[in-house]
Amino acid sequence: MRNSTTTEKPMIVHSVFFKLKHDKGSQAEAGFLAQAAELSGIPGVENFQTLKETSPKNNFDFGLSMEFADQAAYDGYNTHPDHVRFVQEVWLKEVVEFQEIDYVPIAD
């Protein structure tokens, strides 16, 4: 991960944690995660990760995390047809609960 300096704009880290309507370990769950992983191919997406929750401290089962070099890259991702399609055709139908967090590193 890059450190922020006064001459470098900080990257945007986009994370979303979620619970699916599917049974744990089901083919439907695996299919959702596979489709979500395809978001890594959208221009501007860096350091994409699909995450599995290991703590009982919250109700979420999975997470997605990715980085963007700047606001323009993040905006391009949000409006990209593949992302819009995924949200409309997959996410809204299969996710029952989620928390989205977007943040930048605090400069040293």
Side-chain angles (χ1 to χ4, degrees):
M1 187 185 297
R2 302 179 301 203
N3 286 330
S4 302
T5 66
T6 55
T7 59
E8 180 183 1
K9 289 184 180 180
M11 77 188 116
I12 296 171
V13 180
H14 170 65
S15 299
V16 61
F17 305 97
F18 55 94
K19 183 178 191 85
L20 296 172
K21 71 176 189 176
H22 308 302
D23 291 333
K24 291 183 181 179
S26 67
Q27 288 184 345
E29 178 187 83
F32 176 93
L33 296 172
Q35 289 181 80
E38 292 176 9
L39 298 172
S40 66
I42 295 175
V45 173
E46 300 177 28
N47 300 320
F48 182 93
Q49 294 181 310
T50 303
L51 307 163
K52 183 175 181 180
E53 177 64 63
T54 61
S55 171
K57 295 178 183 177
N58 66 62
N59 290 328
F60 305 120
D61 295 320
F62 297 101
L64 302 174
S65 179
M66 60 198 84
E67 298 174 0
F68 299 91
D70 54 28
Q71 189 65 47
Y74 181 61
D75 292 344
Y77 166 79
N78 274 322
T79 59
H80 191 279
D82 292 345
H83 177 254
V84 172
R85 181 206 57 79
F86 176 78
V87 169
Q88 294 298 315
E89 297 178 10
V90 181
W91 182 271
L92 292 175
K93 295 177 183 176
E94 301 184 39
V95 172
V96 294
E97 184 178 0
F98 74 96
Q99 171 82 43
E100 182 175 328
I101 303 172
D102 299 320
Y103 45 98
V104 296
I106 298 173
D108 296 335

